[in-house]
Amino acid sequence: MSKFFKHGGSAEATPDDVKGPDAPHDVDDGSLFQVRQAKRQIGVTSAVFLIFNRMIGTGIFATPSAIFSLSGSVGLSLFIWVAGMLIAAAGMAVYLEFGTAIPRNGGEKNYLEYVYRKPRFLATGLYTGYVVLLGWAGSNSVVFGEYILHAANVEVTRWNQRGIGLACITTAFLIHGLALKWGLRLQNLLGVIKLGIVLLIVVAGWAALGGAVKIDKPHNFDNAFKGTTGSAYGVVTALYNVIWSYIGYSNANYALSETKNPVRTLKIAAPLALGSVAILYMFVNIAYFAAVPAEEIIASKRLVAASLFRNVFGPRAERALSVFVALSAFGNVLSVIFSQGRLVQELGREGILPFSRFWASNRPFNAPLAGLFEHWLVSVIIMLAPPPGDAYNFILNVISYPLAIVNVFVAGALIHLYLHKAAWQWNPPIKATLPVAVFFLLSNIYLTVAPFVPPSDGNSVYETLPYWLHCVVGIAIIVAGGVYWVIWAVLLPKIGHYRLEREVVVDEIDGWERHVFRRVPHSERVRES
């Protein structure tokens, strides 16, 4: 049974919306508020690991080789890691301000919809394509398969790698869809294992710097900027790889309706997780350069961590520790599918997706099973489609590029709020500051424009695919959301002579709100007036 409350006909957020999901409506009773509070299972520790698990997945193990190859030198490679960290920190500050001001599930969808109110529902329509058509979990599942096969000393082929990746993402889907509490506990456990393996790499790097390697000591830090590339394409693609490794600083924003004391939790969890990861990433990169010769780093591709283990600990340890890297990838897949499933669910609650009740439900296991399944399906398709050799890099870039586009508009939205504070009555608990928001905006504009600059010979990140393909596909995904908006919110209402009105529904079992769009005939509106 559900209760319906009329909530106007625009996509504009009201002051009640900004107060977040805990702001009781006049017609609510205390029992509904208690039901919502009972569903808040994420505390500071789980929020930290949600962010930590999302960031430390496969990026720090699989991308340093490509970053070094594209930048051309140790010095520029490390500098690009620092630049990526600064962009991530700026992004965290922007999302922290929005998340503490609008503490509910949905992440950037809420922020875009709050500011970009005209044309009606366009922001949500565009964002729908971005959420529904991108398979974030695919790349990490691919690397999970690669490291498991490497640990088993089995030759990696296109289908055995992806078959194991399919098992990985399917397991993550079933755990979060059928047993939410156990899924969160497993995420936390894998976060601890992941932290242990990263610290082991750091210690191995210190040992290598002291000369404790089973090969001739690399001298990668001698003349550190030798070979530096001047290619804009190489630098921006390397930066995409770094930013991919930092994606996740906003992961807790997607589940704030399920978070205990969301403002306080986010204020603590996001800076703590990002700061810890940034320090670890720099130490890990230094460890790679200390233990693995430059030529081997480039040749190892996504297995650079395995090369470090072999050079410091020997072949047996290399295979054993590769299993832990695979577990790290699995932890990331768990974290990704957890958050993306909730984004799909939020679109269902908004009534944007067809059959919105189906997508919005938490039944029967108090988890967004339908949203999780949708992300599983898209991730599997994206994981299986690209040709061998280019799969990981294509998935990485086709996700990172539209994310940069979204972040341009998120940063622009916050800048608009800063410039019109009085009109918007914008006074969140945490402020990113205008300079940080401008830096985040300019960084993401660069990330959307620079990939169209042709690479120099041999500098493309792909073996067979066109260098610009991920840009075109990324833009097409967002445009697809715009096409859906034109059909659903413009053409069909004109043809059917009705206007979309949005109403709030409170589910008495779930205790959460969702939006339902009602078709109001023009004749009815005339009678009401």
Side-chain angles (χ1 to χ4, degrees):
M1 182 177 179
S2 299
K3 294 182 180 178
F4 288 78
F5 307 106
K6 184 136 184 211
H7 191 58
S10 77
E12 299 182 5
T14 67
D16 283 342
D17 292 327
V18 180
K19 292 176 185 176
D22 289 337
H25 292 264
D26 293 338
V27 291
D28 277 354
D29 55 30
S31 61
L32 273 180
F33 182 78
Q34 291 173 3
V35 168
R36 290 177 182 167
Q37 290 302 103
K39 290 182 177 292
R40 293 184 180 274
Q41 303 179 30
I42 301 172
V44 173
T45 301
S46 290
V48 168
F49 277 115
L50 269 177
I51 300 169
F52 187 85
N53 262 325
R54 180 65 183 90
M55 280 195 284
I56 300 185
T58 57
I60 190 59
F61 307 118
T63 62
S65 172
I67 293 167
F68 178 56
S69 177
L70 289 164
S71 61
S73 69
V74 173
L76 183 57
S77 177
L78 293 176
F79 178 81
I80 289 173
W81 277 95
V82 172
M85 179 268 292
L86 293 175
I87 294 174
M92 180 206 69
V94 169
Y95 277 80
L96 197 59
E97 175 164 347
F98 270 124
T100 54
I102 311 174
R104 64 187 186 195
N105 279 11
E108 53 264 56
K109 180 194 73 65
N110 297 325
Y111 320 146
L112 295 171
E113 192 174 61
Y114 177 67
V115 176
Y116 300 106
R117 303 181 178 188
K118 295 180 181 179
R120 296 171 70 243
F121 314 128
L122 175 60
T124 308
L126 293 172
Y127 190 70
T128 298
Y130 169 75
V131 171
V132 172
L133 298 178
L134 283 179
W136 292 71
S139 60
N140 297 303
S141 301
V142 167
V143 172
F144 174 86
E146 191 166 358
Y147 267 93
I148 286 291
L149 291 168
H150 183 77
N153 204 22
V154 175
E155 182 182 358
V156 177
T157 67
R158 176 177 186 175
W159 296 114
N160 65 6
Q161 177 193 40
R162 299 182 194 196
I164 295 174
L166 177 61
C168 167
I169 191 173
T170 302
T171 302
F173 157 62
L174 292 175
I175 289 173
H176 274 319
L178 304 179
L180 174 60
K181 283 187 177 181
W182 285 104
L184 288 173
R185 289 167 182 166
L186 181 58
Q187 274 187 199
N188 292 350
L189 174 62
L190 291 175
V192 173
I193 293 174
K194 186 181 301 186
L195 177 60
I197 200 71
V198 170
L199 290 174
L200 182 61
I201 292 175
V202 172
V203 172
W206 292 340
L209 287 172
V213 288
K214 299 182 180 298
I215 60 172
D216 292 336
K217 184 177 180 180
H219 295 280
N220 290 326
F221 296 106
D222 298 344
N223 196 5
F225 286 91
K226 181 181 179 181
T228 295
T229 179
S231 167
Y233 175 88
V235 171
V236 76
T237 307
L239 194 55
Y240 269 127
N241 280 263
V242 175
I243 290 172
W244 170 258
S245 300
Y246 276 106
I247 285 178
Y249 55 78
S250 63
N251 205 37
N253 290 55
Y254 302 128
L256 290 177
S257 294
E258 300 167 69
T259 301
K260 303 172 186 175
N261 196 347
V263 172
R264 174 184 176 274
T265 298
L266 193 61
K267 285 169 65 175
I268 297 172
L272 178 60
L274 179 62
S276 301
V277 168
I279 294 170
L280 289 173
Y281 276 1
M282 292 309 298
F283 279 128
V284 168
N285 275 281
I286 291 171
Y288 290 147
F289 289 122
V292 186
E295 298 78 10
E296 188 177 345
I297 291 175
I298 295 174
S300 65
K301 295 186 177 179
R302 288 171 295 280
L303 296 173
V304 63
S307 296
L308 177 141
F309 295 145
R310 181 179 62 250
N311 292 350
V312 176
F313 301 113
R316 289 185 179 179
E318 171 194 5
R319 289 194 294 273
L321 292 171
S322 291
V323 173
F324 288 98
V325 175
L327 288 175
S328 172
F330 180 56
N332 183 269
V333 172
L334 280 169
S335 186
V336 168
I337 201 168
F338 176 90
S339 60
Q340 294 302 120
R342 278 154 180 78
L343 281 177
V344 175
Q345 182 188 48
E346 194 67 19
L347 290 175
R349 288 202 174 106
E350 288 287 335
I352 297 298
L353 298 178
F355 314 107
S356 60
R357 179 181 291 274
F358 171 73
W359 299 109
S361 177
N362 260 352
R363 304 167 189 168
F365 301 108
N366 192 27
L369 190 63
L372 294 169
F373 174 76
E374 190 280 333
H375 189 71
W376 173 88
L377 182 63
V378 174
S379 295
V380 168
I381 293 172
I382 290 180
M383 181 174 63
L384 298 179
D390 285 337
Y392 180 80
N393 286 327
F394 176 75
I395 297 171
L396 181 157
N397 289 319
V398 84
I399 290 172
S400 299
Y401 187 82
L403 176 62
I405 296 175
V406 169
N407 282 337
V408 166
F409 286 97
V410 171
L414 186 57
I415 292 170
H416 178 76
L417 291 174
Y418 278 141
L419 297 179
H420 304 87
K421 279 186 178 181
W424 288 82
Q425 298 181 347
W426 185 251
N427 189 29
I430 291 182
K431 297 187 185 334
T433 73
L434 181 60
V436 169
V438 170
F439 171 72
F440 190 54
L441 173 68
L442 295 178
S443 300
N444 282 283
I445 290 175
Y446 172 72
L447 290 171
T448 57
V449 174
F452 285 101
V453 178
S456 56
D457 292 339
N459 204 28
S460 175
V461 72
Y462 302 125
E463 296 176 10
T464 58
L465 297 176
Y467 74 92
W468 42 261
L469 184 62
H470 62 273
C471 303
V472 174
V473 173
I475 292 172
I477 285 171
I478 293 180
V479 169
V483 172
Y484 177 71
W485 170 80
V486 169
I487 295 171
W488 163 72
V490 179
L491 294 181
L492 290 180
K494 284 186 177 180
I495 294 171
H497 303 289
Y498 63 84
R499 175 183 174 87
L500 288 175
E501 297 283 358
R502 190 164 70 170
E503 297 175 339
V504 171
V505 178
V506 178
D507 192 301
E508 292 185 342
I509 295 178
D510 283 347
W512 286 346
E513 297 174 358
R514 65 186 177 94
H515 290 91
V516 172
F517 286 88
R518 186 168 66 94
R519 297 177 179 181
V520 179
H522 291 316
S523 57
E524 181 178 331
R525 291 183 59 83
V526 170
R527 288 197 301 270
E528 290 176 354
S529 61

